[in-house]
Amino acid sequence: MEQKSYNPYVSAQIQFDAVADMLDLDEATRQLLRQPIREYHFTIPVKMDDGTTKIFNGYRIQHNDARGPAKGGIRFHPQETVDTVRALSMWMTWKCAVVDIPLGGGKGGVICDPRSLSQTEQERLCRGYVRQVAKNIGPLSDVPAPDVMTNGQHMLWMMDEYEAIHGAHYPGVITGKPVGMGGSLGRMEATGYGVIFTLREALKALNIDIKTSTASLQGFGNVAEHAARLYTKLGGKIIAISSWDNIDGKAYTFRKAEGLDIDAMAKIKDSYGTIDKAKAMELGCEVLPGEDWIAQDVDILLPCALENQITPATFSKVSDQVKVICEGANGPTTPDCDELIKNKNIYLIPDFLCNAGGVTCSYFEQIQCNMNYFWSKEEVLEKLDQKMTSAFYAVHNLAQEKGLYMRDAAYVISINRVAQAVKLRGWI
Ligand code: GLU
């Protein structure tokens, strides 16, 4: 069967247009919000270790900054496209608005595979990226952060290059920095924990005991690992994890019906989330095809990898037992699948609410950098829990009151907030 291809930017616009219609948004606001405000496309020459020079394509896209500086990660991925970055920048605007933090939406990306680059090549790539956007980012204009396949070390190299160019210290130019170098305690856990804070509240609202619940997880990067850790700590059981195998170039699902030991699984993965198959078998895991994660008899599906994973084709394999889909990734579900999720009566926690914990903690990191006073991990995670829980109930309550699908309810809140900021500023 031929696979339908999905463009995330088209998906983001379909989602936006539907809610803009629902809100009867005026034409000018609609035109402004359905596309990015500014885009930077550039090339990055990088001297490779073997003496050759490679040219990489990079992007930084600012979707909207009416509520505050643009905010959002930089991804390194071989399949990165400008439209993916556009979509992700748009989702960042809605994400910051739904948790009500004073930031806008932006995103960056480089088409590259960091798994095939040495540390020194990665450092030169990071510095080269910043040299191209040094005039267009900044603590008061656009603040990058880590995303898929980027980490604290990358952020620190980027900050260092920015500071060298501008000749002063600017810890607020980037977040997700290592702890001790301007980073916040709890940032590593924040996105995954935020996912589970919203799931915990959703299960309460649905009268499901987390302690008897089961879940299947897609992805085993930073977000997925910490989501799995907190979910199992609260008593839930993860029975399957699907992760990308860098050597074989495909994904596998690791299943253990009695529940996976997340600590043990984390010990046998590399920094990109590839799980060692032989060691997983020693731990008693069955090794199944990558796409099997979605077909498990579980209560909760946790897509925490990339976009376009839950499509009408893959959704046809979802078990009748599934009650909640918790979108830890950005854009994991295609718009043509939303109707199917509704019809199956599955409760959805939409991506830009569900995974907003990362950027919320980035906001805390900015506050701590500005004060030059750093909070304890407990304090960070407690504040994060409060923010995520109240954002969850704002969306859940609106969905209940107006009979809306959760994704639409989240959009209603975010679009209204951004549209109001645009009007108050006199842009429209
Ligand atoms: N890349 C993360 C996201 O998609 C975090 C962004 C940030 O901290 O600015 O939400």
Side-chain angles (χ1 to χ4, degrees):
M1 197 178 73
E2 209 191 312
Q3 280 231 303
K4 189 171 165 186
S5 72
Y6 291 92
N7 177 331
Y9 187 41
V10 173
S11 299
Q13 290 187 322
I14 291 174
Q15 292 167 347
F16 171 78
D17 289 342
V19 180
D21 284 347
M22 210 186 280
L23 293 173
D24 213 6
L25 211 63
D26 65 89
E27 193 50 34
T29 309
R30 214 181 262 244
Q31 284 309 317
L32 186 68
L33 300 187
R34 76 190 298 283
Q35 57 187 325
I37 276 188
R38 272 171 238 106
E39 297 196 354
Y40 304 97
H41 299 201
F42 43 89
T43 48
I44 312 166
V46 175
K47 292 249 159 49
M48 307 300 279
D49 293 345
D50 65 5
T52 60
T53 300
K54 256 200 179 143
I55 310 297
F56 293 90
N57 288 79
Y59 308 96
R60 184 70 193 172
I61 296 185
Q62 296 157 1
H63 171 257
N64 191 280
D65 54 4
R67 285 174 47 87
K71 185 83 192 81
I74 297 173
R75 311 211 303 182
F76 285 174
H77 202 275
Q79 265 86 50
E80 193 67 293
T81 67
V82 61
D83 274 351
T84 310
V85 185
R86 286 184 176 124
L88 290 161
S89 73
M90 212 163 155
W91 286 324
M92 283 309 302
T93 302
W94 314 135
K95 195 181 294 192
C96 294
V98 83
V99 283
D100 207 6
I101 55 179
L103 295 165
K107 204 81 177 195
V110 178
I111 306 173
C112 70
D113 191 345
R115 293 166 292 203
S116 63
L117 299 175
S118 69
Q119 283 296 105
T120 46
E121 288 166 345
Q122 292 186 36
E123 175 174 352
R124 290 192 286 269
L125 179 60
C126 288
R127 292 184 186 277
Y129 184 95
V130 168
R131 283 199 295 275
Q132 298 294 26
V133 288
K135 293 193 189 73
N136 313 113
I137 61 169
L140 303 176
S141 56
D142 181 5
V143 183
D147 202 273
V148 171
M149 287 206 273
T150 52
N151 57 38
Q153 176 64 75
H154 295 127
M155 299 306 112
L156 201 59
W157 286 326
M158 289 186 181
M159 182 193 80
D160 186 68
E161 190 66 25
Y162 183 89
E163 292 184 342
I165 292 168
H166 291 278
H169 283 279
Y170 292 97
V173 70
I174 204 153
T175 60
K177 302 183 291 297
V179 171
M181 292 302 294
S184 172
L185 287 165
R187 179 65 182 84
M188 286 293 279
E189 292 86 353
T191 314
Y193 274 34
V195 167
I196 302 305
F197 292 149
T198 63
L199 174 65
R200 180 194 63 203
E201 298 309 312
L203 293 179
K204 272 189 214 161
L206 296 169
N207 240 327
I208 299 170
D209 183 3
I210 198 165
K211 293 198 174 65
T212 58
S213 71
T214 54
S216 177
L217 177 66
Q218 188 194 31
F220 206 39
N222 179 51
V223 177
E225 179 191 326
H226 289 288
R229 283 184 187 277
L230 183 58
Y231 172 68
T232 48
K233 196 167 145 197
L234 296 178
K237 218 170 17 171
I238 304 257
I239 65 137
I241 297 177
S242 164
S243 89
W244 186 256
D245 189 302
N246 190 28
I247 301 153
D248 296 358
K250 60 178 179 178
Y252 294 102
T253 298
F254 299 88
R255 182 170 67 182
K256 197 167 174 186
E258 317 83 271
L260 291 158
D261 176 343
I262 302 305
D263 212 28
M265 294 301 284
K267 286 198 178 103
I268 60 164
K269 74 164 197 175
D270 71 8
S271 62
Y272 299 107
T274 292
I275 294 170
D276 185 319
K277 279 200 295 300
K279 290 191 180 144
M281 284 192 272
E282 279 169 29
L283 292 174
C285 295
E286 289 172 78
V287 183
L288 307 169
E291 62 273 17
D292 281 16
W293 75 279
I294 206 168
Q296 302 303 314
D297 286 323
V298 287
D299 306 305
I300 301 148
L301 291 178
L302 282 157
C304 295
L306 288 177
E307 56 278 359
N308 299 339
Q309 300 302 304
I310 307 185
T311 65
T314 59
F315 188 78
S316 62
K317 300 185 200 134
V318 169
S319 155
D320 289 338
Q321 195 186 318
V322 171
K323 297 173 196 79
V324 182
I325 295 178
C326 199
E327 296 181 330
N330 290 310
T333 306
T334 56
D336 51 2
C337 211
D338 279 323
E339 213 45 44
L340 305 176
I341 296 175
K342 275 184 231 172
N343 292 342
K344 219 171 162 155
N345 221 359
I346 294 176
Y347 188 95
L348 177 96
I349 312 176
D351 52 0
F352 65 87
L353 166 66
C354 187
N355 69 33
V359 76
T360 302
C361 193
S362 280
Y363 164 59
F364 295 156
E365 182 176 328
Q366 287 185 308
I367 296 170
Q368 295 170 79
C369 282
N370 289 344
M371 294 192 293
N372 206 7
Y373 172 75
F374 289 82
W375 308 335
S376 69
K377 189 164 171 178
E378 291 66 37
E379 193 173 348
V380 172
L381 294 177
E382 197 187 304
K383 285 189 164 68
L384 180 68
D385 195 347
Q386 280 168 10
K387 263 283 186 212
M388 294 302 293
T389 301
S390 67
F392 170 82
Y393 279 106
V395 176
H396 173 81
N397 292 343
L398 181 70
Q400 295 290 307
E401 267 165 42
K402 306 263 187 229
L404 290 172
Y405 182 50
M406 280 287 283
R407 191 184 314 284
D408 293 342
Y411 265 114
V412 165
I413 291 177
S414 295
I415 294 175
N416 268 330
R417 284 184 179 152
V418 180
Q420 201 193 1
V422 161
K423 275 209 176 67
L424 285 172
R425 279 181 182 275
W427 291 358
I428 298 287

